[in-house]
Structure formats: C-alpha cells, structure tokens
Amino acid sequence: MKEIVYQTQGTCSQLIRLTGHEGRIVSVEFLGGCHGNLQGIASLVKGMKYQDVIDRTEGIRCGMKPTSCPDQLARALRQLQAADHED
C-alpha cells in the first residue's frame, strides 16, 4: 500500500491525499474545493486503475484555468505510479 500527499496548483482544492495498491486507487481525499463534487470524484474512482483515471481526467480545465481538480488528480496519480515503481 502506498500513500502520497500531492500539493495542488491552480485549483480551489489545496491538496490531494491518495492511497493506492497494485496499480489501483484505494482512497482519494481532497482538502478544499467543491466538497460535494470532489467527494463524488473520489467515490467514482475508488478501485479503478491509475492509468484509466489518468486517461479520463488529464487535461480537463476549469473555466479559463489551465487545470482543474480532475487534472490535478491525474498529476497526483502519476506521482503515485512513480512511487509504486520505486518498490
């Protein structure tokens, strides 16, 4: 089981706490941001493969911002993937 804390940039949420195991998401917790929407995202991605979530969320923008909470989740998952490969 691997856990990371990802400091977001350019979004209302301030950080994402991710736990994964064998390439699948165990839990996601956002600090800040649109609580209901982010709870929904966290619930929907639980149990999914990292890469499947990255493929679906990477590049999503929030209004005129160059990123979004889902895009930040994809970036955090890339870090979690790298941490998994260190073992």
Side-chain angles (χ1 to χ4, degrees):
M1 191 102 46
K2 205 52 133 176
E3 180 179 287
I4 66 160
V5 176
Y6 179 81
Q7 186 77 39
T8 60
Q9 296 179 335
T11 61
C12 299
S13 63
Q14 290 108 19
L15 65 85
I16 303 170
R17 185 180 320 271
L18 271 174
T19 306
H21 183 66
E22 296 181 353
R24 291 193 179 268
I25 298 168
V26 173
S27 68
V28 180
E29 180 184 351
F30 290 86
L31 176 64
C34 304
H35 187 67
N37 288 335
L38 296 175
Q39 271 187 300
I41 290 170
S43 180
L44 288 169
V45 302
K46 186 175 180 179
M48 289 181 67
K49 292 180 181 178
Y50 303 158
Q51 193 60 51
D52 290 343
V53 176
I54 291 167
D55 291 345
R56 291 177 182 207
T57 62
E58 192 169 50
I60 292 175
R61 297 171 50 136
C62 184
M64 296 303 291
K65 294 178 185 178
T67 190
S68 66
C69 291
D71 182 59
Q72 291 293 298
L73 176 59
R75 295 176 193 200
L77 283 166
R78 288 202 182 277
Q79 278 192 7
L80 187 57
Q81 273 183 325
D84 270 357
H85 291 350
E86 290 174 359
D87 290 342

